[in-house]
Amino acid sequence: MALPSGISFSSTHSVHLPPLFNVAVPFIDRHLAEGRGEKAAILTREETVTYVELAARVNRAGNALLALGLEPGDRLLMVVKDCPAFFYLFWGAIKAGIVPVPPNTLLRAPDYAYMIEDSGCGLVAYSSEFTAEIEPGLRQLGARAPKAMTVDAFLAEMATAPSTLEARLAAPDDDCFWLYSSGSTGRPKGAVHAQRDMVVTSELYGVRVLGVTERDICYSAAKLFFAYGLGNGMTFPLWVGGTAVLDDRRPTPETTFSTIETFRPTIFYGVPTLYAAQLAALETGTRDLSSLRACVSAGEALPGDMFRRWKEQTGTVILDGIGSTEALHIFIGNRLDDFRAGTSGKPVPGYEVRILDENGDPVAKGESGRLWIKAESAAKYYWNKPEKTAETMVNGWLNTGDTYREDEDGYFIYEGRSDDMLKVGGIWCSPVEIENCLVGHPAILEAAVIGHADEQGLTKPRAIVVLKQPGDAGAPLTDALMAHCKKTLAPYKYPRWVEYVPELPKTATGKIQRFKLRG
Ligand code: 3UK
């Protein structure tokens, strides 16, 4: 399909955009002009939304946001489950010049209080399922809390708002939306993405690597709040005039297989933890996955053995690829016509990749080092975090924080993080945050958390603790510690194992030496 008018890519995959435009137009409005008005843009178990309905609702949402007092440049924090209203809020904001910020929906009240304050958002819109974490978060801020409303209340505002809206013009590198990303220490960082970034990821990875076309039906088990899910389940299908399948349930083998059987998607996107659970389910019963032409995995490395078992069970390959919130989507990936199990694949054309040693010099081919990338879809900076920005974004290059090696055939092999951060089910998990939670339990004196591979080869948190009363060690305390973490933290962060030790290895300055515990 032809690129939208005014948008082109050079022979080196560099994007050319009009000096003033609004990215909602090529992703949404263009499909009406191109005759896709009656085509399904979104399928859910409750409803089908056509492109003409989507465009009108995006306009109503933009008008409703303006009527609620938001102005161009203001932030909208949208804690929204995977449902059509996510699209209305996100694109309605962008079309009106407002900056949508969709955080992880699995977080707790103090995380939301932080993000509301850090973003300085003018409105919080949230699915009613998340009321129990959002309302206390707002209360914590007292008089500093912004206006907040549920998605249902917002849909009621939209119903009376006009269905036409003039797109607010912006330059390609103007701020467009933010995504929060967590680090090993300190608070989440708001990565500020520009208007151009979704065009770049959708074309370079979506179209040119995955071959997404308007005939594709895309279903992402990874949620829209995750940069991975945002591309998979929203920007890729909208870029080509295809169809997105949305499901708001927690993804399990049962929900994902029944969604695939009902909607017959052509592309499925998951994370290794989910593929492991799906494989276990497939080994005891067959499901109809015949609609799929490709499966994609990201978030953490996909073990080669899982690639082989999935191929055996389903006949379909899983294309592993590494992406990040900062790069917005996958920058090294396998392709249908060029893949190698147990690797992240090859650089996506248009992304420059370097593996550097500790002096910042390129390593010899085959040696491991720190992975840096240069991406036209890269975030411009972290909001309010100039030091983090300076550490991560250097002369147009992004420090991924990952250790990589390139094999003799040009495939990139993941060798771990350069910091202590863990990926659990594809989502960031800070060992420090889990340690702080454990130390909040009355039995614990000190705690260290490290990643530990489960029987599938996937990383989960393991706690190593020192007790105030060593005699308390045992299964009942282990259960109590797990329950304490599940209740206090986002539930996926709880330690799956607890080990009791008399003391922890420390540096002279008292810093826990997690690398010694990983042993
Ligand atoms: C790790 C991987 C090995 C790696 C993401 C696809 O995961 C995404 O973004 P995040 O900001 O995390 C980025 C970090 O996650 N990682 C991601 N994918 C892989 N490690 N193999 C992989 N295939 O440490 C990376 O630096 O949460 C993934 C698309 C968009 C994304 N935001």
Side-chain angles (χ1 to χ4, degrees):
M1 190 175 67
L3 284 162
S5 68
I7 302 181
S8 60
F9 283 79
S10 74
S11 58
T12 57
H13 309 276
S14 184
V15 68
H16 183 269
L17 290 158
L20 283 176
F21 79 126
N22 184 298
V23 75
V25 175
F27 277 97
I28 309 278
D29 301 86
R30 131 165 97 119
H31 299 300
L32 308 192
E34 294 181 4
R36 289 184 201 90
E38 296 310 317
K39 184 176 176 180
I42 308 172
L43 303 173
T44 76
R45 285 179 300 142
E46 289 81 30
E47 60 178 320
T48 295
V49 180
T50 63
Y51 272 99
V52 72
E53 289 168 332
L54 174 62
R57 291 176 197 173
V58 163
N59 290 343
R60 289 185 193 277
N63 284 317
L65 291 169
L66 295 169
L68 284 161
L70 290 184
E71 290 177 12
D74 287 353
R75 272 78 58 203
L76 161 70
L77 195 80
M78 44 180 288
V79 191
V80 178
K81 64 184 182 181
D82 278 22
C83 66
F86 187 107
F87 284 44
Y88 311 155
L89 281 157
F90 187 87
W91 293 103
I94 289 175
K95 195 166 175 185
I98 295 158
V99 177
V101 184
N104 183 338
T105 60
L106 303 171
L107 301 178
R108 299 300 194 190
D111 303 311
Y112 293 123
Y114 174 78
M115 288 174 186
I116 291 167
E117 189 144 61
D118 178 63
S119 66
C121 60
L123 178 69
V124 182
Y126 59 99
S127 300
S128 53
E129 286 82 347
F130 310 128
T131 305
E133 302 299 334
I134 299 296
E135 287 190 344
L138 288 160
R139 274 199 302 275
Q140 219 171 299
L141 297 172
R144 301 195 307 284
K147 207 179 297 179
M149 67 201 301
T150 62
V151 166
D152 289 332
F154 184 77
L155 288 171
E157 296 284 328
M158 268 173 61
T160 57
S163 64
T164 58
L165 169 65
E166 191 160 340
R168 169 123 186 152
L169 294 180
D173 59 0
D174 279 351
D175 295 3
C176 184
F177 65 101
W178 304 1
L179 295 171
Y180 272 96
S181 177
S182 339
S184 60
T185 55
R187 298 295 204 151
K189 313 172 287 264
V192 178
H193 279 285
Q195 293 269 333
R196 83 153 52 76
D197 300 355
M198 293 183 285
V199 172
V200 170
T201 54
S202 302
E203 182 66 21
L204 297 187
Y205 182 73
V207 172
R208 301 187 181 187
V209 171
L210 287 183
V212 177
T213 74
E214 65 177 308
R215 290 182 301 283
D216 277 306
I217 302 175
C218 298
Y219 168 39
S220 178
K223 299 296 183 195
L224 296 169
F225 66 72
F226 194 17
Y228 177 48
L230 191 85
N232 302 337
M234 186 173 77
T235 69
F236 297 177
L238 292 181
W239 181 242
V240 295
T243 301
V245 173
L246 298 183
D247 183 47
D248 61 12
R249 294 171 294 180
R250 187 174 71 82
T252 64
E254 183 48 44
T255 65
T256 52
F257 289 150
S258 77
T259 302
I260 293 170
E261 286 164 343
T262 305
F263 296 104
R264 302 198 55 78
T266 54
I267 309 184
F268 174 72
Y269 307 84
V271 295
T273 303
L274 176 62
Y275 283 115
Q278 289 175 316
L279 269 171
L282 284 176
E283 281 157 9
T284 61
T286 52
R287 303 297 298 243
D288 179 10
L289 308 182
S290 60
S291 63
L292 299 176
R293 69 171 183 84
C295 295
V296 181
S297 176
E300 59 184 314
L302 182 78
D305 183 56
M306 285 179 49
F307 174 94
R308 286 182 280 273
R309 284 161 58 214
W310 185 267
K311 183 101 191 299
E312 237 167 69
Q313 291 289 332
T314 70
T316 314
V317 293
I318 303 179
L319 303 175
D320 187 9
I322 175 175
S324 72
T325 305
E326 290 79 0
L328 190 57
H329 214 276
I330 289 173
F331 47 83
I332 298 177
N334 286 284
R335 341 174 34 116
L336 283 165
D337 59 359
D338 186 8
F339 56 82
R340 179 166 289 180
T343 79
S344 305
K346 293 179 180 169
V348 171
Y351 290 85
E352 284 181 69
V353 167
R354 282 183 184 165
I355 300 177
L356 302 181
D357 66 16
E358 55 280 10
N359 303 319
D361 297 320
V363 299
K365 197 163 165 176
E367 302 281 303
S368 45
R370 177 74 68 102
L371 183 74
W372 289 74
I373 64 158
K374 191 166 191 173
E376 273 196 337
S377 55
K380 295 162 65 175
Y381 60 97
Y382 296 120
W383 181 256
N384 268 341
K385 302 254 183 314
E387 296 85 21
K388 296 272 181 204
T389 302
E391 269 167 46
T392 311
M393 302 167 189
V394 184
N395 298 328
W397 287 79
L398 265 180
N399 181 355
T400 64
D402 296 301
T403 303
Y404 260 85
R405 167 168 71 81
E406 182 182 349
D407 76 9
E408 58 287 0
D409 301 316
Y411 297 95
F412 281 67
I413 299 168
Y414 176 73
E415 297 201 317
R417 290 287 304 169
S418 325
D419 55 24
D420 291 319
M421 287 294 279
L422 308 177
K423 268 305 184 91
V424 177
I427 308 183
W428 278 134
C429 204
S430 159
V432 178
E433 185 188 5
I434 306 171
E435 289 161 6
N436 291 340
C437 172
L438 284 165
V439 171
H441 186 279
I444 301 289
L445 183 64
E446 283 184 316
V449 169
I450 55 170
H452 186 80
D454 67 8
E455 60 284 359
Q456 312 280 350
L458 300 172
T459 301
K460 300 285 180 299
R462 176 189 187 96
I464 297 144
V465 300
V466 181
L467 296 181
K468 292 179 186 159
Q469 307 287 340
D472 291 345
L477 180 59
T478 298
D479 289 345
L481 293 172
M482 290 179 181
H484 169 73
C485 290
K486 274 192 196 170
K487 158 170 123 264
T488 317
L489 304 171
Y492 61 89
K493 298 176 178 171
Y494 82 92
R496 310 303 198 271
W497 306 269
V498 178
E499 191 186 324
Y500 299 94
V501 295
E503 62 180 331
L504 293 172
K506 303 260 183 64
T507 62
T509 56
K511 204 168 179 280
I512 297 172
Q513 293 171 302
R514 293 190 196 81
F515 70 92
K516 287 204 174 153
L517 295 165
R518 287 195 287 261

